Amino acid sequence: MPKLPLPKLRLPERSDFEEMKQQIVESQVWRSIFRHGYEDTPRNRVLAVLDNVWLHLHPTKLPVHGTKLRFTWCMGGLTFLMFLVTTVTGVFLMFYYRPTAEYAYNDIKYLEFDVPFGMIMRNMHRWAAHAMVITVWLHMLRVFLTGSYKPPREFNWAVGVMLLTITLLLSFTGYLLPWDQLSIWAVTVGTNMARATPVLGHEGPFAPPSIITPSSDVRFMLLGGTIVGPSALLRFYVLHCIFFPLLAGGLMMLHFWRVRKDGGISGPL
Amino acid sequence: MADEKDMQREPPKEPQPDGASKPASGSKEGGESPKKGAEAATPKPTPPAGTVSKPSTTATTAKPTAPATPKPTPAGKTVAKKKTRLDYRVHTWPHLVRSEFLVAIGALIVLTIWSILVDAPLEDPANPNRTPNPSKAPWYFLGLQEMLVYFDPWIAGVVLPGLIIMGLMIIPYVDINPKGNGYYTFKERKFAITVFLFGFLVLWVSLIIVGTFLRGPGWNFFAPWDKWDPHKVAALTNVNLSYKVGIRDDFIASIFGGAVVIGYYLLGVIYYLIMRNRSEVLQKLGVVRYSIVAFLFLTMMALPIKMILRWTLNIKYIWVTPWFNI
Ligand code: HEM
């Protein structure tokens, strides 16, 4: 009935975009997800950490030096990041890889040449794994140099050493999976050591010869055979994709928890 | 409000102030180093708060933090004390989260570019009948493989790796020097840092470099400019220590070798007996901790010693027995 009014000139300070943003931010859905505003208030700074499942692993406040790269080198964080990268890319690789002597090598070739983004996923998985080995060593070096293993953090250092060992084992078990010449011989060299285990390896000192034979010693148990063959591939696959990642994940939770419970990042008192 | 709640919760999470301010005993040790450390690690306490643009936040970060920290300690005591690291606290968001985010982005960019440029290796399919020469373990184990040159597999591949892992875990329990906890210092813990760096850089990292780049076919040594010649013959002139000193009888040789090895470890005992009454550090350490440290230290030093014996005197084994050789 009434004439439609002419569209008013928009005021410059409130654009469509801002209006839309406001509507979204004030919607029930948004506010159910992000419970606090974005305004930079001390309260929100605290809430940003406390209310966030990922960030709440941090304290809400920390000593200044704890934020400095020159103190932590961010090496623990980078180690964790590399672990996450290998987890994500590793899941991708698992979609295409079958741990049998017939298929393994061809599946890697298939990943490299036919699967979209297969090559870069494989590369990132490999290089992140190697980077993780380096960062975990550097992290240990930094923790040593700052004396951060001293009381009350003794136990967390021990947890760290376990993580270091598992990191190496993760990398080592993964090394076999491409099932190429590099893999099997590197793993052969590595697992040959187990032959020489005192008492438990058939070439080790004090091994009772009638009981500990090439097909009953620790190396046999590790490989499921006397050579690095199909059963070793399957074993390493299961260890690599299930056992060690879960163990590493569990120990990392413990590790991060202890960093907090031992009084936060170490520092001069 | 949340801020306050949080700060009330914070103190129990930070046990050090309690522990460190046990006034009588703690202060003598702690009196010197923490002061030094506090100066070293928190030279600019104010800037982080000061650089934040909003004046309101500046005020709030600076103010409530200070009164919050003395709380956990017995009232009165700490107020007069020098400010500790906990007096200079900043909000995790944004101060820490920002750096973490930037580092993560940077690392992911480098990793992605690297992965675009460099392909992961893939050689011929596995063939159990064709052994490559050299066969190398993954690079991070090449330090261990390199040790095989000097020790039999049961030592280099089993005992030493086991001792490395156990030894690392034991460090916090045998290093009882209270100084240098939470800040960089060489002066206050010379022995610990020297030994660790020697082990890490010389015995681990540099052996990996040798194993990776300087070992070719037959695990022979090749300089970077040498061509890897699979037919290179390395003269095997190594002899056992007992032979070197003129012992020809096997039985006497193994007694002799045993004596040398045991004598080597007895050095640790002798040092203890001599220094026991002269060194305060040793007394504090106690005999159990000392034994562990001495055993691990001597075992670690056995590697460079054996390497040098091999290079200079072509020594193969120190101790030969029917069951094992060292
Ligand atoms: C998968 C391996 C590991 C991950 C993901 C990891 C992660 C972290 C992170 C994120 C922190 C916080 C501070 C920082 O970034 O420096 C930390 C602290 C710490 N880590 Fe690790 N770490 C690992 C392995 C190790 C190892 C090998 C050691 C020692 C042998 C170790 C000992 C410690 C100690 C003692 C702290 C407390 C340091 C302090 O308060 O200053 N961690 N770790």
Side-chain angles (χ1 to χ4, degrees), chain B:
Chain B
M1 193 202 90
D3 210 351
E4 255 169 44
K5 186 183 82 190
D6 174 61
M7 274 176 314
Q8 280 160 4
R9 232 200 286 158
E10 205 76 325
K13 277 183 220 145
E14 315 256 13
Q16 301 107 313
D18 286 290
S21 55
K22 263 182 243 148
S25 64
S27 56
K28 226 198 286 168
E29 289 317 348
E32 193 182 273
S33 56
K35 223 190 290 170
K36 234 188 239 164
E39 274 156 25
T42 52
K44 309 168 234 158
T46 26
T51 43
V52 180
S53 48
K54 292 197 177 177
S56 64
T57 27
T58 319
T60 36
T61 25
K63 261 187 196 161
T65 340
T69 18
K71 262 185 211 163
T73 49
K77 259 261 127 100
T78 25
V79 178
K81 232 182 164 185
K82 221 181 150 133
K83 285 200 170 181
T84 72
R85 71 188 179 104
L86 298 176
D87 293 321
Y88 304 116
R89 293 203 294 164
V90 291
H91 278 114
T92 300
W93 178 286
H95 297 289
L96 176 63
V97 177
R98 176 181 51 205
S99 320
E100 284 179 341
F101 186 68
L102 290 176
V103 169
I105 297 273
L108 289 178
I109 289 174
V110 171
L111 180 68
T112 308
I113 293 178
W114 182 271
S115 301
I116 290 171
L117 296 179
V118 189
D119 284 342
L122 187 65
E123 298 187 352
D124 293 338
N127 180 350
N129 299 317
R130 208 165 50 91
T131 313
N133 186 9
S135 290
K136 292 192 179 187
W139 62 270
Y140 37 83
F141 287 151
L142 287 187
L144 299 176
Q145 200 175 350
E146 178 65 15
M147 291 199 303
L148 284 175
V149 175
Y150 306 98
F151 288 106
D152 278 357
W154 70 276
I155 301 183
V158 184
V159 173
L160 289 180
L163 283 179
I164 293 173
I165 294 171
M166 294 309 297
L168 283 173
M169 287 207 208
I170 283 169
I171 288 176
Y173 303 98
V174 294
D175 177 1
I176 55 167
N177 176 3
K179 292 187 189 153
N181 185 344
Y183 54 97
Y184 292 98
T185 169
F186 175 65
K187 254 196 240 147
E188 295 168 36
R189 36 197 295 251
K190 288 193 183 118
F191 178 75
I193 291 196
T194 310
V195 173
F196 191 84
L197 285 183
F198 180 76
F200 182 66
L201 296 177
V202 179
L203 297 184
W204 187 250
V205 176
S206 76
L207 284 196
I208 286 175
I209 292 171
V210 170
T212 308
F213 298 109
L214 305 179
R215 290 294 184 178
W219 206 254
N220 284 315
F221 186 91
F222 291 87
W225 52 87
D226 288 343
K227 217 172 107 46
W228 277 14
D229 173 8
H231 304 295
K232 174 172 172 173
V233 197
L236 284 176
T237 53
N238 298 335
V239 294
N240 298 332
L241 183 65
S242 51
Y243 190 90
K244 195 91 183 172
V245 298
I247 298 172
R248 295 294 179 272
D249 182 82
D250 282 352
F251 180 71
I252 299 178
S254 66
I255 302 275
F256 167 78
V260 172
V261 171
I262 292 169
Y264 174 67
Y265 282 100
L266 278 180
L267 289 179
V269 179
I270 295 169
Y271 181 81
Y272 182 77
L273 294 179
I274 296 176
M275 297 303 288
R276 180 172 51 172
N277 294 325
R278 301 176 203 189
S279 158
E280 217 175 299
V281 177
L282 270 196
Q283 278 164 10
K284 273 201 200 135
L285 203 57
V287 70
V288 174
R289 286 201 203 89
Y290 173 81
S291 311
I292 295 171
V293 174
F295 171 74
L296 291 173
F297 178 73
L298 288 170
T299 307
M300 174 173 127
M301 294 314 287
L303 176 61
I305 289 173
K306 184 124 192 233
M307 290 164 85
I308 290 168
L309 285 178
R310 177 67 58 82
W311 300 333
T312 54
L313 300 173
N314 292 317
I315 299 297
K316 189 165 197 278
Y317 291 122
I318 307 286
W319 185 8
V320 180
T321 75
W323 308 279
F324 60 86
N325 306 316
I326 291 175

Side-chain angles (χ1 to χ4, degrees), chain A residues 38-50 55 58-74 78 81-82 85 105 108-109 112 119-120 122-124 126-128 130 133-134 137-138 140-142 144-155 157-158 161-162 164-165 168 171-172 175 178-182 184-187 189-190 193-194 196-198 204-206 227 260-269, chain B residues 1-3 6-7 9-10 13-16 20 34 37-38 41-45 48 52 54 57 60-61 64-65 84-86 88-97 99-100 103-104 107-108 111-112 114-116 118-132 135-141 145 148 153-154 157-159 165 168-169 171-173 175 177-185 189 192-193 196-197 200 204 208 323-324:
Chain A
Y38 195 72
E39 233 179 315
D40 188 10
T41 61
R43 180 172 191 273
N44 277 350
R45 286 179 171 204
V46 170
L47 286 177
V49 172
L50 275 184
L55 294 180
H58 289 309
T60 54
K61 284 187 170 184
L62 77 169
V64 185
H65 75 270
T67 68
K68 302 290 186 212
L69 272 185
R70 67 163 185 273
F71 186 76
T72 62
W73 312 350
C74 206
L78 277 175
L81 180 71
M82 291 303 123
V85 171
Y105 183 79
I108 299 282
K109 281 269 186 221
E112 288 198 350
M119 188 77 200
I120 193 165
R122 175 166 187 242
N123 289 348
M124 284 183 79
R126 180 109 175 175
W127 300 135
H130 285 193
V133 170
I134 295 174
W137 289 351
L138 291 178
M140 178 176 71
L141 181 63
R142 147 2 232 172
F144 188 89
L145 291 181
T146 55
S148 305
Y149 58 82
K150 298 191 176 198
R153 297 184 181 76
E154 308 99 307
F155 181 65
W157 167 273
V161 176
M162 292 177 220
L164 172 83
T165 314
L168 292 175
S171 209
F172 184 65
Y175 215 85
W179 204 241
D180 63 345
Q181 280 289 77
L182 194 63
I184 67 156
W185 292 103
V187 170
V189 169
M193 296 298 109
T197 312
F206 310 117
I227 57 159
R260 290 288 301 280
K261 293 296 152 184
D262 290 342
I265 190 80
S266 64
L269 291 172
Chain B
M1 193 202 90
D3 210 351
D6 174 61
M7 274 176 314
R9 232 200 286 158
E10 205 76 325
K13 277 183 220 145
E14 315 256 13
Q16 301 107 313
T42 52
K44 309 168 234 158
V52 180
K54 292 197 177 177
T57 27
T60 36
T61 25
T65 340
T84 72
R85 71 188 179 104
L86 298 176
Y88 304 116
R89 293 203 294 164
V90 291
H91 278 114
T92 300
W93 178 286
H95 297 289
L96 176 63
V97 177
S99 320
E100 284 179 341
V103 169
L108 289 178
L111 180 68
T112 308
W114 182 271
S115 301
I116 290 171
V118 189
D119 284 342
L122 187 65
E123 298 187 352
D124 293 338
N127 180 350
N129 299 317
R130 208 165 50 91
T131 313
S135 290
K136 292 192 179 187
W139 62 270
Y140 37 83
F141 287 151
Q145 200 175 350
L148 284 175
W154 70 276
V158 184
V159 173
I165 294 171
L168 283 173
M169 287 207 208
I171 288 176
Y173 303 98
D175 177 1
N177 176 3
K179 292 187 189 153
N181 185 344
Y183 54 97
Y184 292 98
T185 169
R189 36 197 295 251
I193 291 196
F196 191 84
L197 285 183
F200 182 66
W204 187 250
I208 286 175
W323 308 279
F324 60 86

